[in-house]
Amino acid sequence: MATGLLVLMALTTKASEIVVATVNNGHMIEMQKHTGVFEAANPDIKVKFVTLEENILRQRVTTDIATKGGQFDVMTIGLYETPIWGKRGWLEELKPGPGYDIDDLLPAMRSGLSLDGKLYSAPFYGESSMLMYRKDLADKAGVQLPDRPTWDEVKNLAAKIHDPKNGVYGICLRGKPGWGDNMALITTMANTFGGQWFDMKWKPQLESKPWKDAVGLYVNLLQNYGPPGSASNSFNEILALFNEGKCGIWVDATIAASFISEPKQSKVAGKVAFAQAPTQVTPKGANWLWAWSLGIPAGSKNVDAAQRFIAWATSREYINLVAKSSGWGSVPTGTRKSTYLNPDFLKAASFASAEKTAIDSTNPYDSTLPKSPYTGIQTPAIAEFQVIGIGVGQQLSAALAGKQSVDAALKASQQITDREMRKAGYYK
């Protein structure tokens, strides 16, 4: 009778459903295709995905975790949110088992996603930023770019290969407003021009010469050599343009390299060269550091199931699963040392060396030429930056669209930032 009762209980026990909030990027879509493998190995867990555009995802998860809404059991977040939310007690500590090999995580990723030695989210894929360009067009124009070009050299190449009559634009860069969208790129430009967000007294520096020079060049590049509607373009829009052969140069996330090198989706696969993110006055802060990582909000009622899912999705075994089904050129990169030691990956990924160099060269603790009071490269690690970054991003996107001058946009940005910093009590 006891055995029959156990069978009955097993038949009537409902599997736990975990809700995963994620971004609509290629690697996340790939993860959803393979989730059946996880569910087969964990029959007591069902996975439901809520897939959102980047800015919408950030708004939704921030609201949910701050209000303890409990809508999600796993959140796709990044290097900016993780230490801030971990410190506030908004995230569960991750405790993957010994088979996970936490020491295999790249040091930059593990450090950025930890607080006091405890891991609060795990990297699904990691990235820095780098320069990707059409080598065939550069050769035709007689231009050779060094491994780490300056922004002036980038502008020179963009001007020479810009050919809109034949559907090729010299350069494509993010223009869509958002703290993780246009501001990620523009901040790295300001850094390498010698700028910073705040001085040591936390006073905003957005009307300084480095910011004016960087934003001036950014607007000039896209208005003269970019595609129409650049103020609306983010990662996915530019990826589509690049894969169609419509962009000569693209400075963006290193993760893009795997997509533009894949012949099944890119018309220019095999014609692309990779270099480090451009510099200008200083190499400090010239390329960003980011990870799309998976974390568990403290409000989750399915913590154990969420822990198991994250351990699977960010494991070496998952990377091997993707390699087996889609090839080594399609695996999520930027997370594990073992990926970059794998000869099959190195053979399939012509971008591997440039990508790892970019990630390894980042330093969130020393990202500006003048001394700064914050850590972080493209995102100062303060809670107020979300609001500030969105507001400033909107102003600079308006300048790109020709709705106001660069000086007017930076003046408004300075006022927005000053207001938020005063309200937060950084100074009176």
Side-chain angles (χ1 to χ4, degrees):
M1 185 171 177
T3 302
L5 181 60
L6 287 172
V7 171
L8 180 63
M9 287 174 65
L11 290 173
T12 57
T13 298
K14 186 179 179 182
S16 298
E17 181 182 78
I18 60 171
V19 180
V20 180
T22 193
V23 67
N24 63 341
N25 288 349
H27 284 305
M28 300 306 187
I29 303 301
E30 184 81 14
M31 173 174 63
Q32 295 175 44
K33 294 177 185 176
H34 294 292
T35 300
V37 174
F38 170 78
E39 291 177 334
N42 297 271
D44 56 328
I45 303 173
K46 294 296 179 186
V47 184
K48 176 183 176 182
F49 288 94
V50 176
T51 307
L52 302 165
E53 185 272 327
E54 193 168 312
N55 281 336
I56 303 300
L57 171 78
R58 288 180 167 127
Q59 293 167 15
R60 287 277 300 275
V61 299
T62 300
T63 299
D64 188 64
I65 201 164
T67 60
K68 294 183 171 62
Q71 292 183 53
F72 309 116
D73 300 295
V74 176
M75 291 178 166
T76 304
I77 55 177
L79 282 158
Y80 166 67
E81 302 100 328
T82 298
I84 295 173
W85 292 358
K87 189 173 184 178
R88 291 185 172 186
W90 290 358
L91 293 171
E92 296 281 343
E93 180 190 350
L94 296 187
K95 298 178 179 179
Y100 183 76
D101 192 5
I102 195 170
D103 291 330
D104 187 41
L105 296 179
L106 291 175
M109 298 302 166
R110 182 176 177 182
S111 172
L113 299 172
S114 298
L115 181 69
D116 298 329
K118 298 177 181 179
L119 193 67
Y120 281 94
S121 70
F124 180 70
Y125 69 82
E127 63 187 41
S128 183
S129 54
M130 68 179 178
L131 187 144
M132 300 157 277
Y133 67 100
R134 289 279 300 278
K135 183 70 163 53
D136 57 330
L137 298 181
D139 288 345
K140 187 177 178 181
V143 176
Q144 286 190 329
L145 285 183
D147 289 337
R148 188 180 277 279
T150 65
W151 276 104
D152 287 337
E153 289 173 317
V154 169
K155 181 181 179 179
N156 175 60
L157 177 58
K160 289 188 175 181
I161 63 178
H162 185 59
D163 188 10
K165 288 183 180 179
N166 289 306
V168 177
Y169 301 99
I171 189 165
C172 295
L173 301 171
R174 295 189 189 203
K176 190 173 186 177
W179 63 264
D181 251 312
N182 62 342
M183 293 316 302
L185 173 73
I186 293 171
T187 299
T188 60
M189 291 183 72
N191 290 341
T192 196
F193 271 81
Q196 60 185 157
W197 270 94
F198 308 101
D199 67 14
M200 289 303 291
K201 295 181 180 179
W202 288 103
K203 295 292 181 70
Q205 300 297 302
L206 293 164
E207 291 186 281
S208 63
K209 185 177 185 298
W211 272 90
K212 289 184 178 181
D213 290 346
V215 177
L217 177 64
Y218 164 81
V219 170
N220 178 283
L221 280 169
L222 289 177
Q223 287 184 349
N224 289 304
Y225 313 117
S230 285
S232 300
N233 286 345
S234 185
F235 179 88
N236 286 334
E237 290 82 7
I238 300 175
L239 176 62
L241 287 169
F242 201 98
N243 281 347
E244 284 295 315
K246 295 182 182 298
C247 295
I249 302 169
W250 186 18
V251 181
D252 210 300
T254 52
I255 202 72
S258 60
F259 301 126
I260 64 178
S261 300
E262 172 51 61
K264 292 179 182 178
Q265 61 175 295
S266 173
K267 293 181 179 178
V268 296
K271 299 178 181 179
V272 183
F274 305 96
Q276 295 305 300
T279 64
Q280 195 67 15
V281 174
T282 175
K284 288 189 176 185
N287 51 308
W288 71 61
L289 181 66
W290 183 255
W292 277 120
S293 60
L294 303 177
I296 305 171
S300 171
K301 295 181 175 61
N302 299 296
V303 173
D304 177 66
Q307 292 267 13
R308 285 154 64 188
F309 176 77
I310 291 174
W312 170 79
T314 63
S315 67
R316 188 186 304 180
E317 289 69 29
Y318 174 82
I319 292 172
N320 290 332
L321 174 65
V322 175
K324 186 176 180 180
S325 66
S326 304
W328 276 101
S330 300
V331 302
T333 59
T335 61
R336 289 184 170 271
K337 301 172 189 175
S338 55
T339 302
Y340 296 93
L341 295 173
N342 188 300
D344 293 323
F345 171 70
L346 296 176
K347 184 179 179 181
S350 61
F351 54 85
S353 176
E355 178 182 62
K356 190 168 186 294
T357 296
I359 292 171
D360 289 346
S361 70
T362 59
N363 186 352
Y365 303 98
D366 185 22
S367 63
T368 59
L369 189 59
K371 191 175 180 182
S372 296
Y374 55 87
T375 59
I377 301 173
Q378 77 280 16
T379 53
I382 58 172
E384 295 76 19
F385 185 71
Q386 284 201 47
V387 173
I388 291 169
I390 291 169
V392 174
Q394 290 168 343
Q395 294 297 324
L396 301 189
S397 187
L400 175 57
K403 296 177 181 178
Q404 62 180 338
S405 68
V406 168
D407 283 353
L410 288 173
K411 182 177 181 180
S413 297
Q414 177 80 8
Q415 292 170 346
I416 289 167
T417 309
D418 178 70
R419 181 176 66 243
E420 291 300 324
M421 297 301 280
R422 287 180 186 275
K423 188 165 70 174
Y426 283 84
Y427 52 84
K428 294 182 180 180

